[in-house]
Structure formats: C-alpha cells, structure tokens
Amino acid sequence: MSILVIAEHNNSELNGATLKTLAAAQKIGGDVVVLVAGHGCQAVADAAAKIAGVSKVLLADDAAYSHFLAENLGDLVAKLGADYSHILAAATTTGKNFLPRVAALLDVAQISDIISVESADTFKRPIYAGNAIATVQSSDAIKVISVRTTAFDAVAAEGGSAGVEAVSGNGDSGTSSFVGEELAKSERPELTAARVIISGGRGMQNGDNFQLLEKVADKLGAAVGASRAAVDAGFVPNDYQVGQTGKIVAPELYIAVGISGAIQHLAGMKDSKVIVAINKDEEAPIFQIADYGLVADLFSVLPELEQAL
Amino acid sequence: MKVLVAVKRVIDYNVKVRVKADQSDVDLANVKMALNPFCEIAVEEAVRLKEAGVASEVVVVSIGPKAVQEQLRTALALGGDRAIHIDTEELPDSLAVAKLLKAVVAQEQPQLVILGKQAIDSDNNQTGQMLGALTGMPQGTFASKVAVDGSSVNVTREVDGGLQTVKLQLPAIVTTDLRLNEPRYASLPNIMKAKKKPLDVTTPADLGVSVARTVKVLKVEAPAERSAGVKVASVAELVDKLKNEAKVI
C-alpha cells in the first residue's frame, strides 16, 4: 500500500494539520509520500522531508498552485494520486475544497472527516453533526479521505530524511483565478483551527460584553465563538456561531461562558478535549458535559480569569 | 441566465437524532424532516439573483423518494420557478448525486449551479466539488458573497483564517456558507401558488446513472458519553486544574 498525503501550507511554512494527517496515514500503514504543491515552496518541501516516517516528498512548484485553487490542485492530485491506494488531506477548508474534486476525477467516493482508522478500508466518521458515529467500509480501489485533525496526535516533525522529487501537473485550468484575500486582522486564530476557544452565549447580555471574553482570549491565544442565541440576539456576527448549523469545532480547550448548552450548540463543540463551563445556573445542561464547571457570575469570573492567566 | 439549485430533504436540525437499537442507522421513522439549512440559503441566493435581474429562471432539483417533493414545493414557495424530482428509493452517495446533477446540468445548461456547502445529515461536504470535477466547471465553495459580472462570477469564500475571493468563469458552481444570506420565510399565498408550479419527475435510470454505493455503512453508534466532570469552587482552582491536571494551558 502506498499513501499520498497532501501537505497543507502557506507556501513558506508547513501547517500543523499535516502532521496530524500523517498520523492517520501511519495508522493505515504503508509507504507514506507527501505532496507539497504551491509556489516558491521549497522550504515547505524541505520541512516535509524531515518529518518522521515520510518516505518521499513530491514537490509541484508552479504559480498555478500558489493559492491552492481547487480546479488546479484537484487536477494535479488526481493525476499523481492514481498510483496510490490512499489519498489523504486534512479536513480544513483547503482540504474540503479540492479533495472531493480529486475523488470525482478518479471516480471514487470520498470519506469525509474521519476520526479513526479501523483498518486500511474501514474508518469511523461522525454524522448528524456528531450525534452519531458511523463505521464505514470502502470497496473503492483508491480511498480518498479527509482527516479530522483534532482526532489524531501530530507525528514528530523531525527525525526523517526523505528525498524531494520535483513533479508537475497540468498547471492552470484557466477557469478560476485568485482575486484577493482578507485574512482576519486579529492575532486570534480562526475558530475551526483554534487550539483554544472561548465562547459566549445569551448570558453575555450584549455585544460590548464580548470584550470580556476577548481579553481572556488574548491571554490564551484563543478564538472567540458564540452560541446561536448570542448570534440571534445580535451580540456578534454569525461567523462566530458554534453549533450544528454553525461551525463544528474540536479544540483542546473549549470554555463556554453564559451558554446553557442546548443540543444544537453541544453538537458543535462536544468533541473538544477539555470543556469548561462558566454559568450561574447550576442546573444548566452544559454542566453535564463539562470537565470543569464553575457556578458563578461570568461578570466577576471573566476579569478574575484574565488576571489569573 | 438560468440558475440551478440542488436541495436535500434532511432531518430537521432541531431534532435530536437517535441511533437504532440494532446500530444499523439512525432512526428516521416519524421524525420531522425539512429543507437542509444550507440548501435554504442556496435557494435564497438564487431568488435574490432573480430579483436583481441577474437570473432569468431558477430551477430546483432534489433526489430521493416521493417525499422530497415537499421540499421542492417549499423551494418553489420561496421563489423557485420550476422543479425537477429525481425519484429513487435508494440513498445515493455524493458521487452518484453529482453524476445525477451532471445529467441535469447537461439538460438544463444553467450558467450557475448553487448548492449548500454540506447536508446536516451525512456532513460530507462533497457534492458541489464533485459536480465541479465531473462537469469541468470551476467552484466557489463556502461562499459568503456572490457577485455575477458578465461572463464571470466573483465568489468570496470563508476559509480558515478569513476570506478569500476567487473569480470563476461561467458556468460555475457555488456552495453556500451560513453568512451568505438570511433565507426568507415562505408566505401562505406563495405556498399556495407553489402548488401550481411545474414539477417534473425523472429517475436515475432515465438519466443513465447508477446509484450503487462503494462505501458501506457497517455500523452506526451513539457517540461516547463524556465522563462526568467536576465542579470547581474558584477561578484559581479552575486555572490550576487546567494547567496541572488537564495540561491544556
């Protein structure tokens, strides 16, 4: 078996998501090859070659891949991937964007967002917003898989000494082009990629009070989220929303502040490693899933927490 | 320009799903079904394009048993002009759905195909991208803004870390994210009018597509229950536990 893992990077640095995707690849077992596609990304290929357990790095350096457009990248991966038994990418917005195109070009199904590897053809994945876990078995010749990175521990970034081999694809499809990007100005990480998230609910009372969360978030390097109640009340924009119709997150630490814990919210965050609930109502359902609960008024707790960090 | 919108009938997002005792699937008997929330956003965007004079016709399509006609009627009540029902008792996977939609695209020749970014039942997030690969069309996934300009469309996408704008040559595929718009409600007169709008029925066989699956579901189980946590008495104790016991900060 040979496995192709598509590296995620920003053309200069390898993203940590790749190390976690590689952990899933190593669980499947077999020769693991990493593809670094981008532009001016030699440094990324060199970093990938040092990762423990990587047998070879393929480098496709072309302006057509600089912004990871799905049309160009999907075509390249489908072309290279035809010789592999498994093709894996992280279930990030980049991976989710190009990987299904790869699967369709290879005329195989894709298995999205796996949380465990049972065997080379059998995987577990959450469905219904994490309210059920399906064990699925693929009979496709090539398994195209996206990996929920929070479900796997990163492999060591050092210890390997793979060779780097240049490859090329068909280049630019000509059907799409990059116009621009507007990356979040704050130092805070994006919700779905954050290691720590602090979220506020209806209990925050108004949008201005979210500053209390932001101060704590700054100390923790955390992203700020919200429940649907807080979004519907207009406290914060809806891209903050964590839940079944919002973002599904699984950070290492999730701090729910003034959130009662409706099932739709829990569906979006219950796979977090550690959950902390801060709520003045000790009967709030959020306490049933919290690892650490603090029954107290958030308006006194948040400044205290900021101080303590 | 013609816009094609694909919609899916799914369990209502307010319903707490239960896994069947034999672990074969979740129990969908007698539960409330609805239009997938992301599909609602897709319909809304198409209707807004029509209201803005950009789109001339909005065609909605759905795949599944006869019951999906309820959701097609809902989409018509929201402003769709005409509906296509691909009748099948099977539950096709994303690749088969993409193949069926490709056949509809070949018939209808839309300039824009709008889908939701994912269905809240299977949570796959694949169909729009797969349709892109099969038709050779470019894709604007996780769209928070769609601006049609002559022979191209600029799509602002929600990506990890912020927003990215791409320019796609038409015909193109857009999949909707939550921020794209706020779907309207169907008014009673529009619900009545929707009953008279055309709804064509076809089948996968008519479209020449096999819906056989290559991925088999072996088991569906409830997620592991979280072990009961502890209540802490103070902020100091909380920080101490997070640092020294959970080691997450």
Side-chain angles (χ1 to χ4, degrees), chain A residues 188-219:
Chain A
R188 264 178 233 121
E190 201 271 337
L191 261 181
T192 50
R195 201 185 67 84
V196 180
I197 295 174
I198 181 162
S199 283
R202 204 194 304 272
M204 297 304 296
Q205 294 183 3
N206 61 51
D208 290 340
N209 288 335
F210 266 72
Q211 285 173 6
L212 296 169
L213 293 182
E214 286 168 9
K215 285 179 186 159
V216 177
D218 286 342
K219 287 272 174 86

Side-chain angles (χ1 to χ4, degrees), chain A residues 124-167:
Chain A
K124 284 192 178 182
R125 59 177 303 263
I127 52 175
Y128 293 88
N131 287 309
I133 306 296
T135 305
V136 297
Q137 185 176 40
S138 165
S139 59
D140 282 318
I142 304 173
K143 277 82 173 165
V144 176
I145 297 164
S146 69
V147 177
R148 178 169 289 193
T149 54
T150 45
F152 294 88
D153 293 324
V155 298
E158 302 286 338
S161 57
V164 178
E165 183 184 310
V167 293

Side-chain angles (χ1 to χ4, degrees), chain A residues 67 69 176-182, chain B residues 147 152-157 163-169:
Chain A
H67 296 289
L69 293 173
S176 65
S177 57
F178 173 81
V179 175
E181 62 191 355
E182 199 182 308
Chain B
S152 65
V153 57
N154 273 18
V155 179
T156 302
R157 309 177 50 236
L163 299 171
Q164 180 197 60
T165 304
V166 290
K167 181 177 181 155
L168 311 173
Q169 294 305 313

Side-chain angles (χ1 to χ4, degrees), chain B residues 3-144:
Chain B
V3 180
L4 181 69
V5 182
V7 299
K8 185 174 185 183
R9 172 183 169 91
V10 297
I11 191 167
D12 185 282
Y13 75 90
N14 286 305
V15 176
K16 171 117 175 91
V17 297
R18 283 181 205 291
V19 172
K20 284 186 189 170
D22 67 358
Q23 297 196 321
S24 60
D25 202 350
V26 299
D27 192 355
L28 293 180
N30 304 315
V31 298
K32 189 178 172 214
M33 303 294 276
L35 204 52
N36 179 43
F38 292 101
C39 300
E40 262 188 296
I41 296 171
V43 172
E44 176 67 28
E45 194 65 16
V47 172
R48 287 188 190 187
L49 286 170
K50 192 179 172 197
E51 287 168 347
V54 177
S56 50
E57 189 184 27
V58 175
V59 181
V60 289
V61 56
S62 192
I63 300 161
K66 191 155 193 285
V68 307
Q69 291 190 7
E70 271 174 51
Q71 277 61 49
L72 285 170
R73 291 290 174 200
T74 303
L76 292 174
L78 294 170
D81 294 301
R82 147 171 100 71
I84 300 169
H85 169 209
I86 303 174
D87 194 359
T88 170
E89 291 297 321
E90 302 288 318
L91 286 172
D93 62 16
S94 311
L95 184 61
V97 169
K99 287 177 179 174
L100 291 165
L101 294 177
K102 182 196 174 189
V104 174
V105 165
Q107 276 177 8
E108 296 286 335
Q109 300 286 324
Q111 286 295 292
L112 200 59
V113 184
I114 312 182
L115 302 91
K117 77 165 177 182
Q118 74 188 63
I120 61 161
D121 51 1
S122 56
D123 281 336
N124 276 323
N125 197 328
Q126 299 170 355
T127 305
Q129 295 90 315
M130 287 182 161
L131 180 61
L134 298 179
T135 57
M137 288 187 202
Q139 67 187 42
T141 50
F142 326 139
S144 63

Side-chain angles (χ1 to χ4, degrees), chain A residues 148 191-192 197 242 247-251 254 268-272:
Chain A
R148 178 169 289 193
L191 261 181
T192 50
I197 295 174
V242 170
K247 290 179 171 148
I248 311 279
V249 299
Y254 189 92
M269 45 63 81
K270 68 182 170 50
D271 291 327
S272 306

